[in-house]
Amino acid sequence: MLEKKEHIYEKAVLVGLITQHQDEEKLAEYLDELEFLAYTAGATVEKRFTQKLSQPDSRTFVGSGKAEEIKNFVKENEIGTVIFDDELSPSQLKNLEREMEVKILDRTNLILDIFAQRAQTSYARTQVELAQYQYLLPRLTRMWTHLERQKGGIGMRGPGETEIETDRRIIRDRITLLKDKLKTIDKQMATQRNNRGKVVRVALVGYTNVGKSTLMNALSKSEVFAENKLFATLDTTVRKVVIGNLPFLLTDTVGFIRKLPTQLVESFKSTLDEVREADLLVHVVDISHESFEDHIDSVKQILQEIDAHQKPMVMIFNKIDAFAYEKKDEDDLTPSTKKNVSLDEWKKTWMAKSKFPTVFISALTKENFPEMKRLIYDEVHKIHISRFPYNDFLFEYYDDEE
């Protein structure tokens, strides 16, 4: 019997800064996320390096002493990749690669790499390719350092850096071509959206890896790819869903993330149009994640950026099956933290604070599904009768799982 070949992960280290805008606790949170991103991309993290600086060093992001420490660790432990939590400037990238002699990635580059791995359709691949070229263009010079040693060979004589300028022109032409291609596809997709008739459109939004695709599968009884990795879904999926006897269109969209590269927001314009043109947003939140409140803020910020923050919304707190908290002893007088808040306490807080209809569920075990379906039905029904007041009598709610 043949042994199953195991996936070989690249060895990597992470680097982040404690600054006036980012304390130690916040950095630890970001590095946890960066480690999950690295794992999703195919790397295993050997160590984390952190440094306290008022602002990033303009030359190597970290101070010279810390850069030397990272370089020595990388050399001694045969590490192939150093990943920085923030976007590096072209000169920082060039200096770091020259000094450490290994692959240097920043958060943006890592996210782009995951998107490139995950893109399935030609549309998603085109969006990712455009974002990659836009990221690459100002950083092109560092990729040509190996040619400096080859000057004088055939085709290498003549003015220096000609090959860089040629490549810049090729990339600019490619960016123009990809933008034109996306414009054409955007028009086709806009036509498709218009051709869906007057059926109410509902879009699932939320941070990456909160369970949107699992929820989509459960509601539409279809098989949308779902995995416990970041950005499992890149391509927009639209399914017809019927709750009671009221039909609507449900869209699963790309997950949001903190520090989302601007290139991706621009490239994924059409995917985000699905959110922008939806009648109702279903904001899915992973209640079991310790930073779920930050995730909510990140999603709200992106919704505001794409002018979709005023839409009707339903808040769904998912993964209650994975929720855990640390119960305090009655005689423990230390101040309570978020880790000590029970699910019932969170429910009271959120039910009181949120202006949107809210429900707590598990998409995996289907706990509280009837309550969630009733909630979505009520919101879709409101939109439906405002559009078709004459056929309201056709629709009444019943739970098809009862």
Side-chain angles (χ1 to χ4, degrees):
M1 187 177 166
L2 286 170
E3 280 187 29
K4 191 179 176 185
K5 194 176 177 183
E6 285 188 25
H7 181 83
I8 299 169
Y9 282 86
E10 285 183 38
K11 286 163 79 174
V13 296
L14 308 182
V15 184
L17 289 183
I18 299 162
T19 65
Q20 51 193 350
H21 306 297
Q22 188 169 276
D23 61 21
E24 198 169 343
E25 194 180 336
K26 186 63 70 182
L27 176 63
E29 215 177 275
Y30 284 157
L31 290 182
D32 285 346
E33 189 169 84
L34 192 67
E35 184 164 344
F36 201 5
L37 282 166
Y39 163 70
T40 302
T44 175
V45 174
E46 300 293 314
K47 190 171 177 175
R48 297 176 177 191
F49 290 92
T50 62
Q51 187 177 26
K52 199 170 187 176
L53 284 178
S54 55
Q55 60 183 45
D57 184 87
S58 59
R59 196 177 161 276
T60 52
F61 189 76
V62 290
S64 55
K66 183 61 71 173
E68 188 67 27
E69 186 189 333
I70 297 167
K71 180 184 176 179
N72 293 337
F73 182 86
V74 161
K75 206 168 188 177
E76 286 164 17
N77 295 275
E78 297 179 344
I79 307 291
T81 311
V82 180
I83 306 170
F84 288 77
D85 187 44
D86 290 288
E87 190 166 313
L88 298 170
S89 70
S91 63
Q92 284 171 335
L93 215 47
K94 188 177 178 181
N95 293 334
L96 286 162
E97 276 199 341
R98 188 173 58 231
E99 285 187 24
M100 297 191 186
E101 298 177 331
V102 290
K103 187 165 47 176
I104 304 291
L105 298 178
D106 58 18
R107 190 183 180 93
T108 300
N109 203 343
L110 186 61
I111 292 172
L112 287 171
D113 186 73
I114 295 166
F115 270 52
Q117 285 181 39
R118 297 279 163 147
Q120 296 296 316
T121 64
S122 80
Y123 181 54
R125 284 195 293 269
T126 304
Q127 289 176 311
V128 175
E129 192 182 346
L130 174 61
Q132 284 178 314
Y133 277 131
Q134 286 171 328
Y135 173 83
L136 183 63
L137 191 58
R139 295 164 175 81
L140 199 60
T141 49
R142 75 187 181 97
M143 302 190 72
W144 287 97
T145 52
H146 65 285
L147 289 174
E148 289 166 10
R149 302 185 202 107
Q150 299 173 13
K151 294 281 189 246
I154 297 169
M156 288 295 163
R157 282 180 280 266
E161 302 230 323
T162 301
E163 52 284 300
I164 300 174
E165 290 308 319
T166 305
D167 234 58
R168 279 195 184 124
R169 190 174 70 248
I170 291 167
I171 288 181
R172 284 195 194 102
D173 290 347
R174 186 73 186 149
I175 286 172
T176 306
L177 192 75
L178 290 168
K179 280 184 174 176
D180 290 342
K181 188 177 175 182
L182 284 177
K183 270 182 198 167
T184 308
I185 302 173
D186 285 347
K187 279 181 187 171
Q188 290 168 355
M189 291 182 85
T191 306
Q192 279 175 15
R193 284 195 293 270
N194 291 335
N195 289 342
R196 288 176 195 160
K198 296 293 179 186
V199 182
V200 175
R201 298 200 305 227
V202 179
L204 292 169
V205 296
Y207 209 73
T208 181
N209 201 42
V210 294
K212 295 190 300 298
S213 298
T214 307
L215 187 59
M216 176 86 162
N217 290 337
L219 282 170
S220 63
K221 299 176 177 68
S222 63
E223 285 304 314
V224 175
F225 181 68
E227 188 184 8
N228 186 29
K229 283 190 176 180
L230 301 180
F231 304 115
T233 307
L234 281 195
D235 294 297
T236 302
T237 312
V238 183
R239 294 281 183 271
K240 184 179 178 182
V241 174
V242 180
I243 295 181
N245 57 351
L246 180 61
F248 61 91
L249 293 176
L250 184 65
T251 305
D252 187 15
T253 59
V254 63
F256 299 156
I257 196 165
R258 288 175 287 202
K259 305 180 185 179
L260 187 70
T262 49
Q263 296 94 335
L264 281 172
V265 176
E266 189 185 331
S267 304
F268 277 73
K269 178 189 166 294
S270 189
T271 304
L272 296 169
D273 278 345
E274 290 283 353
V275 176
R276 211 180 277 115
E277 294 181 22
D279 301 300
L280 174 69
L281 301 181
V282 174
H283 184 172
V284 186
V285 180
D286 176 2
I287 187 77
S288 69
H289 198 290
E290 59 182 17
S291 305
F292 76 87
E293 288 182 293
D294 285 344
H295 293 178
I296 291 169
D297 290 339
S298 298
V299 171
K300 281 181 181 172
Q301 192 181 333
I302 294 169
L303 289 176
Q304 199 152 1
E305 280 175 29
I306 63 171
D307 202 24
H309 58 295
Q310 304 280 18
K311 291 185 177 294
M313 189 185 287
V314 171
M315 295 287 289
I316 293 183
F317 289 90
N318 187 26
K319 303 193 185 181
I320 59 171
D321 55 308
F323 179 84
Y325 77 104
E326 295 169 15
K327 192 172 181 179
K328 282 181 69 178
D329 294 329
E330 283 181 25
D331 56 352
D332 186 351
L333 300 177
T334 56
S336 292
T337 66
K338 286 181 185 178
K339 289 177 183 175
N340 307 125
V341 181
S342 71
L343 192 58
D344 284 336
E345 286 169 324
W346 274 124
K347 283 181 184 181
K348 285 170 192 167
T349 313
W350 274 100
M351 291 296 183
K353 270 203 307 190
S354 178
K355 62 177 180 178
F356 303 112
T358 305
V359 66
F360 291 74
I361 66 147
S362 166
L364 210 58
T365 65
K366 298 197 173 178
E367 192 177 342
N368 291 347
F369 253 48
E371 189 187 340
M372 177 198 67
K373 288 167 91 170
R374 177 79 215 207
L375 206 69
I376 294 173
Y377 172 89
D378 287 344
E379 294 305 305
V380 172
H381 188 247
K382 277 183 210 169
I383 297 163
H384 187 86
I385 59 171
S386 68
R387 211 171 271 175
F388 308 107
Y390 55 85
N391 70 357
D392 177 33
F393 67 91
L394 292 174
F395 298 102
E396 59 178 288
Y397 181 77
Y398 64 90
D399 189 353
D400 54 358
E401 290 185 3
E402 282 182 351

